[in-house]
Amino acid sequence: MQQKAYLMVPGPTPVPERVQAAMHRPMINHRGPSYEAMFRDISARLKTLFHTDHDVLTYPCAGTGAMEAAIVNLFSPGEKVLVVTIGVFGDRFAEIAAAHGLQVEVMTVKRGAAACPSALAARLAEDEGGEIKGVVVTHNETSTGVTNDVRALAKAKGKHPALFIVDAVSALGAIPMRMDEWGIDAVVTGSQKALMIPPGLAFLAMNGRAWAAYEQSAMPKYYWDAKKIKKSLDKGQNPYTPPVSLLFGLQESLAMIEEEGEEAIVARHVLLGQAVRAGVQALGLQLFAEPEAASSVVTAVCVPDGVDGKALQKKMRDAFGVTMAGGQKELEGKIFRIGHLGHVAPADVLVTLAMLEMALTEMAVKVQLGAGVAAAQQVFLAARREEK
Ligand SMILES: Cc1ncc(COP(=O)(O)O)c(C=O)c1O
């Protein structure tokens, strides 16, 4: 029998059948009235999801494209930005800024920990001349399974005039985001995570301060030019041919998100995270992230001593049908990551833990079969009792 495949990576995430079906609709003219109605509807719903009154710009690209769009639209070469990095994706934002000729100051946080708001406040307090034009943070660092307290970081940035920019690629839609209320100037996200559609769309929301910075920006831009996107958006259009099928999918996934409700989605992810962490710990495995910073959408687990991390991932995928992610860069081979983001339910977590128990047993790691599953079941049952 062919393996039934479980995609337990933190993106791309499983695409619900409803969304798949929506994407199979026949093609339409992207300059016609039905596209315009759909795109206006999607753009309005995205604002709700970002909790902003400002426009959310849609770019056909990977999340990294929207990160680059933020840099080229908001800054000029030679300006200084402070990038607070807690992992691979924070590092990437710093690299993009440097590639565009910005002066990049990197505040590096120990892997596995979250950024410290008071450290940010202290650094900005030293910047009396307002040399720092932008502060960049990652909402959920997918490479380490750590979530930053973005609200506290935004508060720590306080009245310093720098723009506050958040990479919410693996967070938005699953972890609370209040762009306007928290005073965030620009937010970036992607389609293949909590939004439950395939990769290929990314989004950039900019507030009034960000648009004012756009007007000052001397960075060369064409495809990423936010004003071109905004002008078209005002007409229910995109400047260039959009991936229409992905937008069919997005309209359906946004409907699903509204049906489940934001609060319920956030709570579901919190519960999935608790269950995964309880499960792996019951197997005697170590979590990589500091407990208070552990992500609700991806769990990083230390590869047990004597185990080849890549071989474990391969066995999970090929023998047991569960695809997990490995560690990136310096964490390659040291951790594996279980994604529990988007269209994921308790049953997926139980299958993953059950298969992990078998894979580890075959790799001669002493685990008690059923212990991980039982610990996760207890978490789910306790939540059900609380609900009643
Ligand atoms: C936090 C974060 N930022 C940025 C990205 C980059 O997104 P993409 O791979 O779509 O370019 C990712 C992708 O996993 C991510 O998790």
Side-chain angles (χ1 to χ4, degrees), residues 339-381:
H340 29 94
L341 173 56
H343 190 55
V344 176
D348 300 303
V349 165
L350 297 179
V351 167
T352 303
L353 290 168
M355 296 311 180
L356 183 60
E357 291 170 0
M358 292 204 283
L360 289 169
T361 301
E362 284 195 357
M363 294 181 85
V365 179
K366 272 209 171 112
V367 295
Q368 194 191 328
L369 288 177
V373 171
Q377 285 172 319
Q378 294 295 359
V379 171
F380 291 132
L381 285 171

Side-chain angles (χ1 to χ4, degrees), residues 10 62-65 67 89 92 138 140-142 167 169-170 192-193:
T64 305
M67 293 160 84
F89 294 105
R92 184 177 298 179
T138 313
N140 181 76
E141 181 49 73
T142 322
D167 166 2
V169 171
S170 62
Q192 74 275 25
K193 309 273 186 182

